[in-house]
Amino acid sequence: AFRKLLTGLSVAVHFDVDSATTAGQYRQALEAVAKASHSIDGLTVKLVGHADPRGSDSYNQNLSEARASSVGQVLQEAGASSMTVHMVGRGENDTLSDGQEGYYALDRRVDVQLSFDERKASEDLYSKR
């Protein structure tokens, strides 16, 4: 039941315009994710960085990667293993604002997605970490 609860769970970390600095307000939640990734066997964290559609494609791609890296650094500083954290930037792909200027803040984010590796549930009845 715990695996089903966490699998596919996604939360967003939002950013200011032209910023890749993870705000302190997210630190407590990210520390909890780091602790979980370190102590729950098989849990993986995927960080998907995004940018709003303003700016060039290359600028937005670099910014989305920097945002994912910033969140990844917070996770690793809090004890997450680099082996369980995967980062990717999507630039301005997958925007939520649909080009509506008042909603660009929705696109300045990193999606923190939790999942489990492909091991059978019976293989890790007890955590080995």
Side-chain angles (χ1 to χ4, degrees):
F2 189 64
R3 278 180 171 262
K4 286 183 182 180
L5 174 67
L6 290 181
T7 299
L9 181 65
S10 179
V11 296
V13 174
H14 292 275
F15 292 82
D16 291 331
V17 175
D18 293 327
S19 174
T21 302
T22 303
Q25 71 191 49
Y26 297 105
R27 189 159 301 273
Q28 186 174 7
L30 292 172
E31 288 173 352
V33 169
K35 184 175 180 179
S37 75
H38 183 72
S39 60
I40 300 172
D41 198 40
L43 183 66
T44 60
V45 181
K46 184 176 182 180
L47 305 174
V48 183
H50 300 275
D52 68 42
R54 298 173 292 179
S56 70
D57 289 346
S58 63
Y59 177 82
N60 287 337
Q61 181 62 37
N62 290 336
L63 183 57
S64 69
E65 291 171 4
R67 287 173 172 164
S69 180
S70 174
V71 173
Q73 184 172 348
V74 172
L75 289 173
Q76 289 177 8
E77 288 171 358
S81 167
S82 61
M83 299 299 290
T84 61
V85 178
H86 308 280
M87 295 172 269
V88 64
R90 297 283 297 145
E92 59 190 65
N93 299 315
D94 306 327
T95 59
L96 300 174
S97 65
D98 200 25
Q100 297 179 22
E101 190 171 331
Y103 297 98
Y104 285 156
L106 296 173
D107 296 326
R108 296 189 304 267
R109 71 186 192 282
V110 168
D111 295 325
V112 180
Q113 302 171 343
L114 305 180
S115 62
F116 284 88
D117 59 20
E118 297 299 318
R119 261 185 268 153
K120 296 178 186 171
S122 62
E123 287 182 27
D124 59 338
L125 195 56
Y126 301 98
S127 178
K128 296 177 187 111
R129 292 187 187 169

